[in-house]
Amino acid sequence: MIWYKKYAIKELIPFISNTMMTHLGIEITEIGEESITAIMPVTAKVAQPERLLHGGASVVLAESLGSIASHMCVDSTKYQVVGLEINANHVRAVKEGEGNVKGVCEVVHLGRSTHIWSIKIYGPSNKLVCVSRLTVAVLN
């Protein structure tokens, strides 16, 4: 297990309340041994003018998952984690109203001062929609 301690999903709810995650309807659905998963509904809140999932919303989902994952890997009384760099490749469109997308965040590297995460986002038919990589800085 890569987490600083064993987390239950309900423990993370106060941490993410009243953030962009709650505004966009992002919900954490699973915490694995080395991964974290969340869903986001493809509604008007996350659509671009063509009524497709906005690439920026995919990036919000990816960065949210990676940031939470890094937070879960450190003693939060001693360290703060902040996004340093993110990239995203959008490979498939999802239409507004088609359902949820699912983001799965997995560790690539856990260092003392940086963490790197791979986040894959899947559409309602479980086809890859976006692949992202997030680098997080770990600050004292």
Short mmCIF file of all heavy atoms in Angstrom, two decimals, residues 85-121:
data_model
loop_
_atom_site.label_atom_id
_atom_site.label_comp_id
_atom_site.label_asym_id
_atom_site.label_seq_id
_atom_site.Cartn_x
_atom_site.Cartn_y
_atom_site.Cartn_z
N GLU A 85 2.86 20.22 -12.73
CA GLU A 85 2.73 20.15 -14.20
C GLU A 85 1.72 19.07 -14.53
O GLU A 85 1.66 18.04 -13.88
CB GLU A 85 4.08 19.81 -14.82
CG GLU A 85 4.13 19.92 -16.34
CD GLU A 85 3.73 18.66 -17.09
OE1 GLU A 85 3.77 17.56 -16.51
OE2 GLU A 85 3.33 18.77 -18.26
N ILE A 86 0.90 19.35 -15.56
CA ILE A 86 -0.06 18.34 -16.02
C ILE A 86 -0.14 18.39 -17.54
O ILE A 86 0.00 19.46 -18.14
CB ILE A 86 -1.46 18.54 -15.38
CG1 ILE A 86 -2.37 17.35 -15.70
CG2 ILE A 86 -2.07 19.87 -15.78
CD1 ILE A 86 -3.62 17.27 -14.84
N ASN A 87 -0.31 17.24 -18.14
CA ASN A 87 -0.59 17.19 -19.58
C ASN A 87 -1.75 16.23 -19.80
O ASN A 87 -2.06 15.42 -18.93
CB ASN A 87 0.64 16.81 -20.40
CG ASN A 87 1.08 15.39 -20.16
OD1 ASN A 87 0.28 14.47 -20.14
ND2 ASN A 87 2.37 15.18 -19.96
N ALA A 88 -2.38 16.35 -20.93
CA ALA A 88 -3.52 15.49 -21.24
C ALA A 88 -3.62 15.28 -22.74
O ALA A 88 -3.45 16.22 -23.50
CB ALA A 88 -4.80 16.12 -20.71
N ASN A 89 -3.89 14.06 -23.12
CA ASN A 89 -4.20 13.72 -24.49
C ASN A 89 -5.65 13.28 -24.54
O ASN A 89 -6.03 12.31 -23.87
CB ASN A 89 -3.30 12.59 -25.01
CG ASN A 89 -1.86 13.03 -25.10
OD1 ASN A 89 -1.07 12.71 -24.22
ND2 ASN A 89 -1.52 13.78 -26.13
N HIS A 90 -6.45 13.99 -25.31
CA HIS A 90 -7.87 13.69 -25.44
C HIS A 90 -8.04 12.79 -26.66
O HIS A 90 -7.72 13.20 -27.77
CB HIS A 90 -8.68 14.98 -25.57
CG HIS A 90 -8.36 15.96 -24.48
ND1 HIS A 90 -8.75 15.78 -23.18
CD2 HIS A 90 -7.64 17.11 -24.49
CE1 HIS A 90 -8.33 16.78 -22.44
NE2 HIS A 90 -7.64 17.61 -23.21
N VAL A 91 -8.52 11.58 -26.45
CA VAL A 91 -8.54 10.60 -27.54
C VAL A 91 -9.94 10.24 -28.04
O VAL A 91 -10.09 9.64 -29.10
CB VAL A 91 -7.77 9.31 -27.15
CG1 VAL A 91 -6.31 9.61 -26.92
CG2 VAL A 91 -8.37 8.65 -25.92
N ARG A 92 -10.97 10.60 -27.27
CA ARG A 92 -12.33 10.25 -27.69
C ARG A 92 -13.30 11.24 -27.06
O ARG A 92 -13.12 11.66 -25.92
CB ARG A 92 -12.67 8.83 -27.24
CG ARG A 92 -14.05 8.35 -27.63
CD ARG A 92 -14.28 6.86 -27.33
NE ARG A 92 -13.70 6.07 -28.42
CZ ARG A 92 -12.55 5.38 -28.33
NH1 ARG A 92 -11.88 5.34 -27.22
NH2 ARG A 92 -12.09 4.70 -29.36
N ALA A 93 -14.34 11.59 -27.77
CA ALA A 93 -15.36 12.51 -27.27
C ALA A 93 -16.43 11.76 -26.49
O ALA A 93 -16.71 10.59 -26.75
CB ALA A 93 -16.00 13.27 -28.43
N VAL A 94 -17.04 12.48 -25.54
CA VAL A 94 -18.21 11.98 -24.82
C VAL A 94 -19.26 13.08 -24.90
O VAL A 94 -18.98 14.24 -24.59
CB VAL A 94 -17.89 11.66 -23.34
CG1 VAL A 94 -19.13 11.20 -22.61
CG2 VAL A 94 -16.78 10.62 -23.23
N LYS A 95 -20.47 12.72 -25.31
CA LYS A 95 -21.55 13.70 -25.45
C LYS A 95 -22.21 13.98 -24.11
O LYS A 95 -22.35 13.09 -23.27
CB LYS A 95 -22.60 13.18 -26.43
CG LYS A 95 -22.12 13.08 -27.85
CD LYS A 95 -23.20 12.55 -28.75
CE LYS A 95 -22.67 12.38 -30.16
NZ LYS A 95 -23.66 11.74 -31.04
N GLU A 96 -22.59 15.23 -23.95
CA GLU A 96 -23.36 15.62 -22.76
C GLU A 96 -24.57 14.71 -22.62
O GLU A 96 -25.26 14.40 -23.60
CB GLU A 96 -23.81 17.07 -22.91
CG GLU A 96 -24.65 17.58 -21.77
CD GLU A 96 -25.18 18.98 -22.02
OE1 GLU A 96 -24.57 19.75 -22.79
OE2 GLU A 96 -26.22 19.30 -21.45
N GLY A 97 -24.82 14.25 -21.41
CA GLY A 97 -25.98 13.40 -21.15
C GLY A 97 -25.75 11.91 -21.35
O GLY A 97 -26.64 11.12 -21.05
N GLU A 98 -24.57 11.51 -21.83
CA GLU A 98 -24.31 10.09 -22.06
C GLU A 98 -24.05 9.31 -20.77
O GLU A 98 -24.07 8.09 -20.79
CB GLU A 98 -23.12 9.90 -22.99
CG GLU A 98 -23.44 10.12 -24.44
CD GLU A 98 -22.31 9.73 -25.37
OE1 GLU A 98 -21.15 9.64 -24.95
OE2 GLU A 98 -22.62 9.51 -26.55
N GLY A 99 -23.79 10.00 -19.69
CA GLY A 99 -23.50 9.31 -18.43
C GLY A 99 -22.26 9.88 -17.77
O GLY A 99 -21.93 11.05 -17.96
N ASN A 100 -21.58 9.03 -17.04
CA ASN A 100 -20.38 9.44 -16.31
C ASN A 100 -19.11 9.06 -17.05
O ASN A 100 -19.09 8.07 -17.79
CB ASN A 100 -20.32 8.74 -14.94
CG ASN A 100 -21.44 9.15 -14.03
OD1 ASN A 100 -21.91 10.28 -14.07
ND2 ASN A 100 -21.91 8.23 -13.21
N VAL A 101 -18.06 9.83 -16.80
CA VAL A 101 -16.71 9.37 -17.13
C VAL A 101 -16.08 8.90 -15.82
O VAL A 101 -16.47 9.35 -14.74
CB VAL A 101 -15.85 10.46 -17.81
CG1 VAL A 101 -16.35 10.75 -19.21
CG2 VAL A 101 -15.76 11.73 -16.99
N LYS A 102 -15.12 8.00 -15.94
CA LYS A 102 -14.44 7.44 -14.77
C LYS A 102 -12.95 7.70 -14.89
O LYS A 102 -12.35 7.37 -15.92
CB LYS A 102 -14.71 5.94 -14.69
CG LYS A 102 -13.96 5.23 -13.57
CD LYS A 102 -14.29 3.75 -13.50
CE LYS A 102 -13.62 3.00 -14.63
NZ LYS A 102 -13.77 1.54 -14.54
N GLY A 103 -12.37 8.29 -13.87
CA GLY A 103 -10.93 8.53 -13.83
C GLY A 103 -10.26 7.54 -12.90
O GLY A 103 -10.73 7.33 -11.77
N VAL A 104 -9.17 6.95 -13.37
CA VAL A 104 -8.39 6.01 -12.56
C VAL A 104 -6.97 6.55 -12.47
O VAL A 104 -6.30 6.73 -13.49
CB VAL A 104 -8.39 4.59 -13.18
CG1 VAL A 104 -7.58 3.64 -12.31
CG2 VAL A 104 -9.81 4.08 -13.38
N CYS A 105 -6.54 6.82 -11.26
CA CYS A 105 -5.23 7.42 -10.99
C CYS A 105 -4.30 6.36 -10.40
O CYS A 105 -4.64 5.73 -9.39
CB CYS A 105 -5.42 8.59 -10.02
SG CYS A 105 -3.89 9.37 -9.50
N GLU A 106 -3.13 6.19 -11.02
CA GLU A 106 -2.15 5.21 -10.55
C GLU A 106 -0.78 5.86 -10.43
O GLU A 106 -0.43 6.74 -11.22
CB GLU A 106 -2.09 4.02 -11.50
CG GLU A 106 -3.41 3.26 -11.57
CD GLU A 106 -3.37 2.11 -12.55
OE1 GLU A 106 -2.91 2.31 -13.70
OE2 GLU A 106 -3.79 1.01 -12.16
N VAL A 107 -0.02 5.40 -9.47
CA VAL A 107 1.29 5.97 -9.20
C VAL A 107 2.30 5.59 -10.30
O VAL A 107 2.29 4.47 -10.80
CB VAL A 107 1.80 5.54 -7.81
CG1 VAL A 107 2.08 4.04 -7.74
CG2 VAL A 107 3.03 6.33 -7.41
N VAL A 108 3.13 6.55 -10.65
CA VAL A 108 4.28 6.33 -11.53
C VAL A 108 5.56 6.45 -10.71
O VAL A 108 6.47 5.63 -10.83
CB VAL A 108 4.30 7.35 -12.71
CG1 VAL A 108 5.57 7.20 -13.53
CG2 VAL A 108 3.06 7.20 -13.57
N HIS A 109 5.61 7.46 -9.84
CA HIS A 109 6.82 7.73 -9.03
C HIS A 109 6.41 8.41 -7.73
O HIS A 109 5.62 9.35 -7.74
CB HIS A 109 7.76 8.64 -9.82
CG HIS A 109 8.86 9.24 -9.01
ND1 HIS A 109 9.96 8.53 -8.59
CD2 HIS A 109 9.01 10.49 -8.52
CE1 HIS A 109 10.75 9.32 -7.89
NE2 HIS A 109 10.20 10.52 -7.83
N LEU A 110 6.97 7.93 -6.63
CA LEU A 110 6.79 8.58 -5.33
C LEU A 110 8.17 8.93 -4.77
O LEU A 110 8.88 8.05 -4.29
CB LEU A 110 6.06 7.66 -4.34
CG LEU A 110 4.59 7.40 -4.59
CD1 LEU A 110 4.05 6.41 -3.57
CD2 LEU A 110 3.79 8.69 -4.57
N GLY A 111 8.54 10.19 -4.86
CA GLY A 111 9.81 10.65 -4.32
C GLY A 111 9.59 11.53 -3.11
O GLY A 111 8.46 11.80 -2.71
N ARG A 112 10.68 12.01 -2.53
CA ARG A 112 10.55 12.88 -1.36
C ARG A 112 9.98 14.24 -1.72
O ARG A 112 9.24 14.83 -0.95
CB ARG A 112 11.91 13.07 -0.69
CG ARG A 112 12.38 11.86 0.08
CD ARG A 112 13.70 12.16 0.72
NE ARG A 112 14.59 12.68 -0.33
CZ ARG A 112 15.89 12.63 -0.31
NH1 ARG A 112 16.51 12.15 0.72
NH2 ARG A 112 16.61 13.10 -1.29
N SER A 113 10.33 14.75 -2.90
CA SER A 113 9.88 16.10 -3.26
C SER A 113 8.92 16.15 -4.44
O SER A 113 8.32 17.20 -4.70
CB SER A 113 11.09 16.99 -3.56
OG SER A 113 11.83 16.46 -4.64
N THR A 114 8.76 15.04 -5.15
CA THR A 114 7.79 15.00 -6.25
C THR A 114 7.10 13.65 -6.31
O THR A 114 7.67 12.62 -5.95
CB THR A 114 8.44 15.27 -7.63
OG1 THR A 114 9.43 14.28 -7.88
CG2 THR A 114 9.00 16.67 -7.73
N HIS A 115 5.87 13.69 -6.78
CA HIS A 115 5.10 12.49 -7.09
C HIS A 115 4.66 12.62 -8.55
O HIS A 115 4.35 13.73 -9.00
CB HIS A 115 3.86 12.38 -6.22
CG HIS A 115 4.11 12.22 -4.77
ND1 HIS A 115 3.12 12.38 -3.83
CD2 HIS A 115 5.22 11.92 -4.07
CE1 HIS A 115 3.61 12.18 -2.62
NE2 HIS A 115 4.89 11.91 -2.74
N ILE A 116 4.60 11.51 -9.26
CA ILE A 116 4.10 11.51 -10.63
C ILE A 116 2.98 10.48 -10.71
O ILE A 116 3.12 9.35 -10.25
CB ILE A 116 5.21 11.19 -11.66
CG1 ILE A 116 6.35 12.21 -11.54
CG2 ILE A 116 4.64 11.18 -13.08
CD1 ILE A 116 7.57 11.88 -12.38
N TRP A 117 1.87 10.91 -11.33
CA TRP A 117 0.68 10.08 -11.43
C TRP A 117 0.24 9.94 -12.88
O TRP A 117 0.35 10.87 -13.66
CB TRP A 117 -0.47 10.71 -10.64
CG TRP A 117 -0.14 10.87 -9.19
CD1 TRP A 117 0.34 11.98 -8.57
CD2 TRP A 117 -0.23 9.87 -8.18
NE1 TRP A 117 0.55 11.73 -7.24
CE2 TRP A 117 0.22 10.44 -6.97
CE3 TRP A 117 -0.64 8.53 -8.18
CZ2 TRP A 117 0.25 9.74 -5.77
CZ3 TRP A 117 -0.60 7.83 -6.99
CH2 TRP A 117 -0.16 8.42 -5.80
N SER A 118 -0.27 8.78 -13.22
CA SER A 118 -0.89 8.53 -14.51
C SER A 118 -2.39 8.43 -14.27
O SER A 118 -2.83 7.66 -13.41
CB SER A 118 -0.37 7.22 -15.11
OG SER A 118 -1.10 6.90 -16.28
N ILE A 119 -3.16 9.22 -15.01
CA ILE A 119 -4.60 9.22 -14.85
C ILE A 119 -5.23 8.90 -16.19
O ILE A 119 -4.99 9.59 -17.18
CB ILE A 119 -5.13 10.58 -14.34
CG1 ILE A 119 -4.45 10.99 -13.03
CG2 ILE A 119 -6.65 10.52 -14.14
CD1 ILE A 119 -3.28 11.90 -13.20
N LYS A 120 -6.02 7.84 -16.23
CA LYS A 120 -6.76 7.47 -17.44
C LYS A 120 -8.23 7.71 -17.18
O LYS A 120 -8.75 7.32 -16.13
CB LYS A 120 -6.49 6.02 -17.81
CG LYS A 120 -5.06 5.79 -18.27
CD LYS A 120 -4.83 4.37 -18.68
CE LYS A 120 -3.38 4.21 -19.13
NZ LYS A 120 -3.05 2.80 -19.38
N ILE A 121 -8.89 8.34 -18.14
CA ILE A 121 -10.31 8.63 -18.04
C ILE A 121 -11.05 7.82 -19.09
O ILE A 121 -10.67 7.84 -20.28
CB ILE A 121 -10.58 10.14 -18.20
CG1 ILE A 121 -9.84 10.91 -17.08
CG2 ILE A 121 -12.08 10.43 -18.18
CD1 ILE A 121 -9.90 12.41 -17.22
#
